[in-house]
Every structure is written in C-alpha cells, then in structure tokens.
Amino acid sequence: MFDHIRHDISVILARDPAAKSKIDALLSYPGVHALIFYRMAHWAWENGFFTLGRFISHIGRFMSGIEIHPGAKIGCGVFIDHGMGVVIGETAEVGDNVTLYQGVTLGGTSLDGGKRHPTLEDNVIVGAGAKILGPITIGKNARVGSNAVVVKPVMENATVVGIPAKVVQPAKDLDRDFCAYGMATDDLPDPIARSLEGMFDMVCGLKTRVEELEHELAEKDAENLVKARKTKPKVNDKAAAQNTKTKSVS
C-alpha cells in the first residue's frame, strides 16, 4: 500500500509542474486520495467483502469526487489530475502510467453481466470530459481529446477527437512526448476541414471531367453534322434527275 502511495506521488511530481513537493501531492491531490480508497475497496472486493468494498468506495467518492468501482482493475502510475467527476466502472481495466483528467467516464453500454466497460492500455492519455463507452480497447500510447465520445476501439499511438471520436493523428504522425489533456497544442488537423477539402477536390475533379465530356460530345456532334451534309444529295441534282425521268416516260 505504502509503495503504491509513494509511486503515485512520484508520478504527480513528474507529470504536473504545479506540484511543489511530496507533501503537497499527498495532501492536495484528490487523485491520490481516490486511489488510496480504491485499493482498500478493491482488496475487500477481491476477498468477497462486496458490501464493505462498495462502502469504502462510496467514502472515497465523497472525499475526492472520483468514483472508482472496487471491481475495476487499475495499474501502477495512474494519474488522475483534478479528478472531479471521474467515473470508472466495474469491469473497466486501466493500464500502467495512464493519465485521466476531470470529467472522464469509463462507462458501460449494456445491462448484461460480464465485460461491459473499456480497457485502457499503458500510457493512454484521456482529456477532460471524454467518455469512453462499452467493452472496447484503447491501445497503448493513444490519446483521447477532451469531450470526445469514444464508442469504437482506438489503435495504438493514435489520437482521436470529436463526437463520435475519429482519428486525427495516425500512429506514424504521433509525437510520443507527454501531451496534456490528450491534445496537441499545434498543427492538430481538423477532421471537418479535412473532409471539406476532400469534397472540394472531388467536386473540382468532377467539374473538369464534365467539361471534358461536353467538349468531346460537341466535337462528335460537329463531325456527324459534316458527314450528314456530305452524304445528302443536292437539290439541283434531284431536280435534274426528276426531269430526265419525266422525259423518258413521255
């Protein structure tokens, strides 16, 4: 227990420049308090004391504003920054060195038993207000932007934003440095703008193709008109042929 507490404090000092000392992190960070209560509640839950585990969890929620079900599985080095309103469901799994900001929900989408909450692999960063719903997996080093709603699995090293969340930075473009709130501060592509640019390029291509087809059709019409004029007999020739026919009959 004490080893976990020391590790949690060292994580805060490493990831939050606002933390001034170990005693400051211990006394002033609700994420530390929530994890202390969680570990006690989880021990009770794992040993069959379900009501005791839920009661300890309830006390931790009252003291920290962070609700962690005692049945959840949380790894080492988890940092819950600010923390108010964070909810972690019963079958959620959180890997090592994960960072969660205020308002994050790891929720379920089913009333059935079994696995119904998400799994966050190591080094995931989840921004403020993000909702990750259902038994999906968020891959290692992935980033979930603030207020995103994630309902589908996220590949390793990717960054997702939006409602529903979409990939805006694939794995090959990811800067692996720590990124507060799961969001890059510069050059983050806008998925809507990118979609509009794609549509604009497609419309321009279609317009060019239509103009080419219209030009080809006009050329064919002109060729057909010339051919028709060449094959059509002249009026004078028709009259002469008709006079010759009349004389021969006479």
Side-chain angles (χ1 to χ4, degrees):
M1 172 68 75
F2 293 105
D3 290 338
H4 281 300
I5 294 174
R6 281 193 292 268
H7 186 60
D8 293 339
I9 292 174
S10 66
V11 166
I12 290 174
L13 294 174
R15 298 187 203 169
D16 188 359
K20 303 306 180 184
S21 64
K22 293 182 178 181
I23 190 66
D24 178 27
L26 177 62
L27 297 178
S28 305
Y29 278 74
V32 174
H33 308 154
L35 290 173
I36 292 173
F37 281 104
Y38 158 75
R39 292 193 178 96
M40 292 188 293
H42 184 68
W43 179 90
W45 185 271
E46 289 292 298
N47 286 276
F49 303 104
F50 302 118
T51 302
L52 177 61
R54 290 303 301 269
F55 180 69
I56 296 173
S57 175
H58 182 70
I59 295 175
R61 177 180 180 273
F62 177 78
M63 297 294 293
S64 66
I66 300 169
E67 182 173 346
I68 306 176
H69 193 284
K73 297 179 180 179
I74 297 180
C76 298
V78 174
F79 178 33
I80 304 177
D81 197 7
H82 304 295
M84 181 62 70
V86 169
V87 177
I88 301 176
E90 177 186 3
T91 61
E93 299 178 40
V94 180
D96 297 337
N97 302 314
V98 170
T99 301
L100 306 177
Y101 288 88
Q102 67 271 19
V104 168
T105 299
L106 307 183
T109 56
S110 172
L111 297 179
D112 299 330
K115 177 67 172 174
R116 60 188 187 278
H117 296 88
T119 296
L120 276 59
E121 296 185 346
D122 298 346
N123 304 313
V124 170
I125 301 173
V126 185
K131 315 301 177 187
I132 305 176
L133 308 176
I136 60 177
T137 299
I138 310 301
K140 294 180 180 179
N141 304 310
R143 298 170 176 174
V144 179
S146 297
N147 296 316
V149 177
V150 186
V151 294
K152 295 182 179 180
V154 177
M155 67 180 69
E156 294 183 5
N157 301 317
T159 298
V160 296
V161 299
I163 304 174
K166 297 184 182 299
V167 175
V168 294
Q169 282 184 332
K172 62 181 181 180
D173 295 334
L174 180 65
D175 182 1
R176 294 180 179 274
D177 292 338
F178 180 79
C179 185
Y181 291 93
M183 298 289 289
T185 56
D186 54 357
D187 298 330
L188 181 67
D190 185 346
I192 297 177
R194 187 166 55 185
S195 299
L196 291 175
E197 289 175 359
M199 292 177 62
F200 179 76
D201 292 339
M202 182 178 66
V203 170
C204 289
L206 290 173
K207 181 182 178 182
T208 301
R209 183 55 181 160
V210 169
E211 290 175 350
E212 291 175 353
L213 292 174
E214 288 177 344
H215 183 68
E216 293 175 2
L217 183 61
E219 289 181 347
K220 288 183 179 180
D221 289 342
E223 292 176 359
N224 293 334
L225 182 60
V226 171
K227 290 180 180 179
R229 287 178 177 177
K230 288 181 179 180
T231 57
K232 184 177 180 181
K234 295 181 180 180
V235 177
N236 294 335
D237 293 343
K238 283 186 177 181
Q242 188 174 3
N243 292 333
T244 303
K245 185 177 182 181
T246 303
K247 290 179 181 180
S248 62
V249 173
S250 304

